[in-house]
Amino acid sequence: MSIVEERPLREDLLPPVEPAPDELRDRTAALAGLHRLVQEGPGERATAAQHAKGKLTVRERIGLLFDEGSFTEVEALRRHRATGFGLEHKRVHTDGVVTGWGTVHGRTVFVYAHDFRIFGGALGEAHAEKIHKIMDLAAAAGAPLVGLCDGAGARIQEGVTALAGYGGIFRRNVRNSGVIPQISVMLGPCAGGAAYSPALTDFVFMVRGTSQMFITGPDVVQAVTGEVITQDALGGADAHAAASGVAAFAYDDERTCLEEVRYLLSMLPSNNRELPPAEPTGDPAGRRADALLDIVPADPSRSYDIRRVIEEIVDDGEYLQVHEAWAQNVVCALARLDGRVVGIVANQPAVLAGVLDIHASEKAARFVQLCDAFNIPLVTLVDVPGFLPGVDQEHGGIIRHGAKLLYAYCNATVPRIQVILRKAYGGAYIVMDSRSIGADLSLAWPANEIAVMGAEGAANVVFRREIAAADDPAATRERLVKEYRSELMHPYYAAERGLVDDVIDPAETRSRLIGALAMLRAKDAPLPSRKHGNQPQ
């Protein structure tokens, strides 16, 4: 919660004291003048102060988000009705939040946007009711909702009514979850309970240097724990993009951030009853990706960057990586194949050898749930040596966190295709959308190794007595490792048993995926009737 900073407000935004004009033309002219004042906001000083902080005004932000001239505002003339602490003398139109709708790439999108120049963007009763209304309109219209957040928290002068306003927002966030896309764009401070609304939405964008999110600020942290930390280090864009995983995207400036919001919206459906928008592409569906033969080494111990594989497969090499800086041992991205949106989950051998750990499991699980909620087919690129071992992982709950990814895949009804590039060992192979948990198709490259564990580890377990009793344990071990690999880990072992549908030429991966997704486009896999599942926490 935050005490509203007292700042001068323009007197011409207060109720008119002169008698209203009698003629309709005069009244219409007066209305136009009032609307101009509302558009201009609380004055040049407040605008200059906003710009001095490196931030755009609320109207500038809306102009960047929407197609030119498409924005329609609602409740622009709304004012609070609170009294006490001087609020009755500061009844400003909009009450510090602009709400309405417009188009992004021609499709309807709803928005609420805090105006930090008015009451510091703090939320009061009228402010909250405006947000409630626009959230309800977005749900009724079946269109995405974007929150441009730049507020000082609850308006403390209004007491518990402000807190109730947040409760109404949270309830609508949850009710709309998986129904319409919800995007939070952090463009200023967000502290205390206010931070929970962005956390309930599908994506959080942040801007370096100007946006912060935390439950308790640096002063409270220092008072309670003795730790000294800055606002940015505690809850800035990079802290949440790389350390906490709260922010899916972080950018250096607002213009770039809002342009990326527009790009993300172009890849999402308007609601859960529609498919994502398809776009024409000049990238041939049958294009071979021969570079893949050189990008991925056959030796399972050698590293490479899975993002190069994604670039070769998807349309024009373009994709949008989600949570790029967090849990980098797994890559989650939205891209297009033959003009149609897909979600890609891929192990990243360049980071921790591509193992699954607590954060990677959480990241991938939430992405899988998002794609399933909004009818986005899933492509899983597998090159995983297993789960990360260690006391910290076990005590941190790798069992329940890994189960989140398993649950997400098993619960997903969208088309699901697994591609095994190289190694796929143990439980991590199963979790990465194997046929046994419901993948529609599993394809493998000719260097794939699907097994309980690597040949060396398996030989140590299975043949430990024979190795220990041998005259030359090293030579015996090497021979047994080769035998184990040739009998149980050759590329066609899983295909012979129906666990892999085909072993393919890597250069044909793009065309095979496009053909398979076209076949699965009308997939219908209803879930059992239930209120909801009880997914692992």
Side-chain angles (χ1 to χ4, degrees):
M1 308 310 156
S2 175
I3 297 175
V4 174
E5 179 184 353
E6 294 295 340
R7 61 182 72 237
L9 298 173
R10 289 179 56 180
E11 296 297 329
D12 53 11
L13 291 184
L14 299 180
V17 294
E18 297 180 0
D22 294 329
E23 297 299 326
L24 183 57
R25 288 183 181 275
D26 295 333
R27 289 174 181 262
T28 303
L31 173 64
L34 179 57
H35 276 298
R36 281 196 302 271
L37 290 174
V38 172
Q39 288 284 325
E40 291 171 7
E44 294 181 1
R45 285 180 57 192
T47 298
Q50 181 83 347
H51 287 162
K53 296 174 184 175
K55 302 196 296 185
L56 300 175
T57 67
V58 65
R59 304 287 175 180
E60 291 168 337
R61 290 164 176 169
I62 288 172
L64 290 171
L65 175 64
F66 290 110
D67 298 338
E68 186 175 357
S70 69
F71 179 64
T72 298
E73 187 173 356
V74 293
E75 296 201 354
L77 303 182
R78 186 73 179 265
R79 297 187 298 183
H80 72 76
R81 55 191 176 187
T83 59
F85 304 102
L87 284 181
E88 63 271 23
H89 304 301
K90 298 181 174 67
R91 298 181 63 238
V92 187
H93 292 297
T94 75
D95 201 47
V97 64
V98 176
T99 58
W101 70 87
T103 60
V104 175
H105 301 298
R107 295 191 302 147
T108 299
V109 172
F110 288 78
V111 71
Y112 67 86
H114 300 134
D115 190 343
F116 193 83
R117 301 170 300 169
I118 298 174
F119 299 130
L123 181 139
E125 181 184 27
H127 183 121
E129 288 176 352
K130 288 183 65 174
I131 296 176
H132 297 167
K133 179 174 182 176
I134 210 67
M135 295 178 80
D136 291 342
L137 278 174
L145 174 72
V146 177
L148 303 183
C149 305
D150 185 8
R155 195 175 300 169
I156 203 166
Q157 292 95 326
E158 295 195 30
V160 71
T161 56
L163 295 178
Y166 275 121
I169 293 172
F170 301 158
R171 179 165 58 88
R172 288 167 173 83
N173 284 141
V174 174
R175 188 176 65 192
N176 293 339
S177 180
V179 179
I180 58 172
Q182 299 180 88
I183 299 173
S184 297
V185 188
M186 315 311 296
L187 301 170
C190 183
Y196 283 114
S197 176
L200 289 169
T201 60
D202 299 305
F203 299 96
V204 175
F205 286 72
M206 294 188 73
V207 176
R208 294 182 180 94
T210 57
S211 61
Q212 301 90 29
M213 297 174 65
F214 34 69
I215 299 301
T216 55
D219 293 341
V220 177
V221 170
Q222 183 176 358
V224 174
T225 70
E227 298 172 280
V228 178
I229 192 169
T230 65
Q231 286 195 349
D232 259 0
L234 180 64
D238 288 324
H240 285 308
S244 73
V246 170
F249 306 97
Y251 298 100
D252 291 331
D253 61 87
E254 293 189 16
R255 293 179 184 276
T256 303
C257 179
L258 291 168
E259 185 59 37
E260 289 300 295
V261 173
R262 287 175 55 86
Y263 180 46
L264 172 61
L265 285 166
S266 75
M267 305 186 81
L268 299 175
S270 292
N271 56 65
N272 65 338
R273 301 181 302 277
E274 298 181 4
L275 294 175
E279 291 188 357
T281 176
D283 196 346
R287 169 177 60 80
R288 285 179 58 84
D290 290 299
L292 293 175
L293 299 170
D294 300 316
I295 291 173
V296 180
D299 182 353
S301 65
R302 289 178 59 192
S303 177
Y304 65 94
D305 191 339
I306 193 66
R307 293 174 297 184
R308 295 183 61 197
V309 174
I310 296 172
E311 289 171 4
E312 287 297 321
I313 293 173
V314 302
D315 291 355
D316 303 309
E318 294 183 359
Y319 62 94
L320 179 62
Q321 192 170 341
V322 180
H323 287 294
E324 180 177 1
W326 181 59
Q328 296 182 44
N329 41 323
V330 69
V331 171
C332 298
L334 294 170
R336 282 189 169 87
L337 284 169
D338 199 29
R340 296 183 180 273
V341 178
V342 296
I344 297 174
V345 179
N347 304 114
Q348 173 57 290
V351 179
L352 295 176
V355 297
L356 289 176
D357 61 3
I358 289 173
H359 287 162
S361 299
E362 289 183 316
K363 171 180 170 177
R366 179 158 173 82
F367 184 75
V368 168
Q369 288 177 172
L370 172 97
C371 290
D372 186 51
F374 292 113
N375 308 313
I376 300 173
L378 286 160
V379 173
T380 304
L381 305 179
V382 183
D383 191 347
V384 62
F387 284 93
L388 181 65
V391 174
D392 289 345
Q393 289 291 306
E394 294 296 342
H395 289 183
I398 184 61
I399 294 174
R400 60 187 173 86
H401 290 291
K404 292 178 183 178
L405 181 54
L406 184 61
Y407 188 100
Y409 269 126
C410 290
N411 204 46
T413 61
V414 292
R416 294 156 49 190
I417 302 176
Q418 179 194 53
V419 183
I420 302 169
L421 310 189
R422 290 194 312 184
K423 55 189 177 296
Y425 296 159
Y429 152 67
I430 299 173
V431 168
M432 289 295 291
D433 205 20
S434 63
R435 280 287 306 278
S436 60
I437 65 169
D440 297 295
L441 288 172
S442 178
L443 306 175
W445 288 6
N448 79 84
E449 291 184 353
I450 305 174
V452 174
M453 62 178 69
E456 289 79 5
N460 286 338
V461 174
V462 176
F463 306 115
R464 66 180 183 277
R465 293 182 180 177
E466 186 175 346
I467 293 171
D471 295 333
D472 187 349
T476 301
R477 182 178 181 280
E478 183 179 354
R479 174 177 59 80
L480 293 173
V481 166
K482 289 181 179 178
E483 288 180 7
Y484 184 89
R485 180 176 283 116
S486 64
E487 291 184 20
L488 297 179
M489 295 183 64
H490 62 79
Y492 308 104
Y493 183 85
E496 291 170 359
R497 285 152 182 81
L499 299 175
V500 167
D501 292 288
D502 199 4
V503 179
I504 65 171
D505 177 351
E508 296 178 355
T509 303
R510 170 179 165 81
S511 60
R512 293 295 295 267
L513 285 173
I514 289 173
L517 290 169
M519 176 271 293
L520 290 166
R521 196 161 294 143
K523 176 184 176 181
D524 182 21
L527 293 171
S529 177
R530 58 184 174 183
K531 188 174 182 180
H532 57 73
N534 186 21
Q535 67 183 39
Q537 296 298 320

